[in-house]
Amino acid sequence: MQPNSKQNGAGPAPKTQTIREYGDVSAIRNNVVHLQDTPGSEFIGSSIEFAGTGNVLFVEDGSRLRNCRLRFMGNDAVIHLRKSHGFLRLIATVFEESVFYLGPGATFTSEARVLPTERKHVIVGSDAMFSSRVAFRTADPHLIYSVQDRQRVNPSQSIWVGDHVWLGEDTLLLKGSRVGSGSILAARALITKNVPSNSTAAGVPGRIVSRGIFSTRPSVHGFTEARTAQSLVHDGDEFIYSADGNVTDMKLLEDELGAATSGIGRAAWCFQLDQLEGKNRFYIV
């Protein structure tokens, strides 16, 4: 963990511990918290609840939280949040031994909802563009069994989202979703499977409706006629992804995360992911 993180273990912890301002961090017991009032940081209309022990919260210095509600509803879970371009706007509930990782540079139109459960995880890369009411769920959540053999048929699965992904309004990502870098999830898309890099997925359930595309960040809402004319061609290739030696094995990464036996171990995995370099690290064919 970071050197200024707080891990307070003296005395019994109350059943639920809550942070509503920076000064509350020092009172948290039996959990690790890195949330500091540093230059540029804000903590507005937000709260963080701990209903367990061994959990780890890391909020990168300088982050601005607005209307966030972060909850730990079990033990040894992790929320790892990197600094965004603007405000972090999240309603996230993590359960026993699950991880929510958000890479740097995200933007939000409204609060995204994140629910990692049953020791599965939500991993989002850098430069994500969240439109309104985006949601993630790693579980159904109720149990479903086969009539023939009584075996469970709906295991929970982690969700992975690559770098520079545009998540459209009302997008819902369910268990097992894997979205490659540079992709677009259309408004109201229901994502349940792989979305290749530089593709658009749309519909319910989501299907690939275009390939070989990329998006850039400027919003057209305020464009003048001249700005529209200037936007007709983008010569850069910074958002075009391809296979190279830096492509990661997401299954291997998740196996490494699954091998962790504590919140601290899972937090260490998140810091290692921060150091994972290569433009094409989350390329999906």
Side-chain angles (χ1 to χ4, degrees):
M1 284 302 297
Q2 298 296 294
N4 294 323
S5 300
K6 301 293 184 181
Q7 184 172 24
N8 301 313
K15 185 174 181 180
T16 300
Q17 305 175 81
T18 304
I19 299 172
R20 292 192 175 89
E21 56 185 30
Y22 290 112
D24 294 334
V25 171
S26 61
I28 299 299
R29 297 288 183 268
N30 302 324
N31 295 281
V32 178
V33 180
H34 182 95
L35 174 68
Q36 300 191 113
D37 188 359
T38 55
S41 66
E42 296 184 26
F43 193 66
I44 300 171
S46 299
S47 65
I48 302 163
E49 299 178 18
F50 295 87
T53 63
N55 299 294
V56 180
L57 170 69
F58 173 79
V59 180
E60 186 175 11
D61 292 349
S63 295
R64 305 163 68 195
L65 279 68
R66 172 177 287 186
N67 299 330
C68 290
R69 187 180 182 190
L70 311 178
R71 298 192 301 165
F72 293 85
M73 301 300 292
N75 305 314
D76 296 307
V78 175
I79 296 178
H80 184 100
L81 306 177
R82 298 291 304 280
K83 184 178 176 181
S84 69
H85 287 306
F87 288 100
L88 288 168
R89 303 179 66 175
L90 294 161
I91 299 174
T93 303
V94 293
F95 284 79
E96 192 89 6
E97 300 180 5
S98 293
V99 171
F100 171 40
Y101 173 98
L102 176 66
T107 55
F108 296 83
T109 302
S110 69
E111 289 71 34
R113 295 180 177 269
V114 186
L115 189 65
T117 66
E118 204 177 14
R119 300 168 308 286
K120 301 304 178 182
H121 320 290
V122 173
I123 311 296
V124 180
S126 64
D127 197 34
M129 295 182 283
F130 289 84
S131 190
S132 301
R133 297 177 299 278
V134 176
F136 303 79
R137 299 179 68 96
T138 66
D140 285 335
H142 301 292
L143 304 174
I144 302 175
Y145 296 91
S146 165
V147 170
Q148 283 73 29
D149 60 14
R150 306 299 195 269
Q151 297 295 310
R152 183 178 174 185
V153 297
N154 67 333
S156 299
Q157 300 177 67
S158 297
I159 297 170
W160 288 74
V161 175
D163 300 321
H164 191 71
V165 172
W166 179 3
L167 300 104
E169 185 173 6
D170 290 315
T171 299
L172 175 58
L173 294 92
L174 297 182
K175 61 179 187 174
S177 301
R178 290 191 175 185
V179 182
S181 296
S183 291
I184 300 170
L185 307 183
R188 298 176 178 81
L190 175 66
I191 307 301
T192 61
K193 298 179 180 179
N194 283 9
V195 177
S197 293
N198 293 116
S199 298
T200 301
V204 179
R207 60 185 181 87
I208 307 306
V209 297
S210 63
R211 296 175 183 266
I213 52 85
F214 66 91
S215 64
T216 61
R217 276 195 165 274
S219 171
V220 303
H221 293 319
F223 272 21
T224 63
E225 184 176 358
R227 187 74 187 277
T228 295
Q230 293 170 359
S231 72
L232 296 181
V233 175
H234 182 85
D235 290 328
D237 62 359
E238 65 270 34
F239 304 124
I240 299 174
Y241 298 87
S242 59
D244 65 12
N246 293 314
V247 176
T248 60
D249 184 332
M250 294 182 188
K251 182 182 183 304
L252 178 60
L253 284 176
E254 187 162 342
D255 287 346
E256 292 173 353
L257 177 55
T261 58
S262 67
I264 292 292
R266 294 179 184 93
W269 181 93
C270 291
F271 284 113
Q272 290 174 357
L273 190 58
D274 285 340
Q275 303 304 313
L276 186 63
E277 298 180 349
K279 172 183 173 181
N280 297 303
R281 59 181 184 161
F282 295 130
Y283 174 80
I284 294 179
V285 65

